[in-house]
Amino acid sequence: MKIRRSIRQYSDKDIPESLLNELLEVAARASNTGNIQLYSVVVTRDAVQKQRLAPAHFNQGMITGAPVVLTFCADANRFVRWASARQADAGFDNFQTFVTAVIDTTIFAQTFCVAAEEKGLGICYLGTTTYNAAQIIEALELPRLVVPVTTITVGYPAEPLPEQPERLPLEAIIHREAYKDYTETDIDRLYEAKETLEANRRFVAENNKQNLAQVFTDVRYTRKNNEYFSEEYLHVIEKQGFINR
């Protein structure tokens, strides 16, 4: 786990269906709220279907290059249909249920990733899933009370492996007993190694910015885009029946 990295280039070796099913079975043993399992996963192997999904992920090469694409979804539809068939009234068309389903879905997805990497596979999360969720819903024909949360590409890594990205020191993310807010001195110390890394210095220069923070705020994750995609995802959550605004 300490040497893992995201894999964006895959070999031509396919993933046996038996192995994929084993990994999904392992993932389904993960913790979830009330043992309700408010999640589903759509497995995409077909090349044409990958092409349908690609625009929703800004045509990142991993979608069409990976042997398997997994779209993990918050899913209250299955439980509600079961409850209805048993004369039970499931009050799951609300934001609380959506948050619960997102948590369960994420645990399910990450457990799959750990199991896959243990078997020698490589994975990559695609954060674009929540950006263009409406397109994914259409492509995968997701019904009411089903919303895509994250997408993972999976396959055998191509050589050479990418470099492992840096991480903040543990001191930056761990708080003992209560949250201790950061002083300016703390921020300088905790981000020093990240900011002085040669690859990140080059990143700053290539984007003509004064520092690494500006690359993240002005180029990669702009306020304008964050606000736009927030509204888009809220609309999707509403349309799929989880909130009423």
Side-chain angles (χ1 to χ4, degrees), residues 67-240:
V68 175
V69 177
L70 301 174
T71 306
F72 290 85
C73 304
D75 182 358
N77 172 63
R78 182 182 60 251
F79 184 90
V80 168
R81 291 176 69 88
W82 174 60
S84 178
R86 300 297 185 271
Q87 294 76 52
D89 181 22
F92 281 14
D93 52 348
N94 48 68
F95 188 64
Q96 173 61 42
T97 301
F98 176 73
V99 172
T100 299
V102 167
I103 293 170
D104 289 355
T105 303
T106 305
I107 295 171
F108 175 53
Q110 181 57 25
T111 303
F112 171 87
C113 290
V114 173
E117 290 175 328
E118 193 273 333
K119 291 294 187 180
L121 293 164
I123 66 93
C124 186
Y125 274 95
L126 279 75
T128 42
T129 306
T130 57
Y131 291 0
N132 296 310
Q135 295 179 45
I136 296 171
I137 288 170
E138 181 178 1
L140 300 182
E141 302 177 13
L142 303 182
R144 184 178 183 272
L145 295 179
V146 181
V147 173
V149 172
T150 191
T151 300
I152 294 169
T153 55
V154 58
Y156 289 96
E159 298 290 347
L161 295 177
E163 291 186 11
Q164 189 179 39
E166 85 285 348
R167 291 290 192 265
L168 292 172
L170 283 181
E171 181 190 359
I173 60 175
I174 294 179
H175 302 261
R176 307 293 182 184
E177 310 303 338
Y179 192 101
K180 179 182 177 296
D181 207 353
Y182 307 94
T183 66
E184 188 172 333
T185 301
D186 290 334
I187 294 296
D188 290 342
R189 182 181 73 259
L190 296 172
Y191 280 86
E192 181 179 10
K194 188 181 187 78
E195 291 180 322
T196 56
L197 195 68
E198 180 56 36
N200 286 338
R201 286 181 177 271
R202 188 166 57 250
F203 202 21
V204 172
E206 289 172 351
N207 286 280
N208 196 30
K209 294 296 176 181
Q210 295 177 318
N211 54 60
L212 186 61
Q214 290 180 0
V215 174
F216 280 91
T217 62
D218 299 354
V219 179
R220 298 190 65 187
Y221 304 101
T222 67
R223 178 183 295 276
K224 179 180 178 180
N225 282 347
N226 285 338
E227 292 176 349
Y228 172 78
F229 289 119
S230 292
E231 192 60 34
E232 288 293 298
Y233 200 51
L234 282 170
H235 179 68
V236 164
I237 296 169
E238 182 178 22
K239 184 178 179 182
Q240 293 299 97

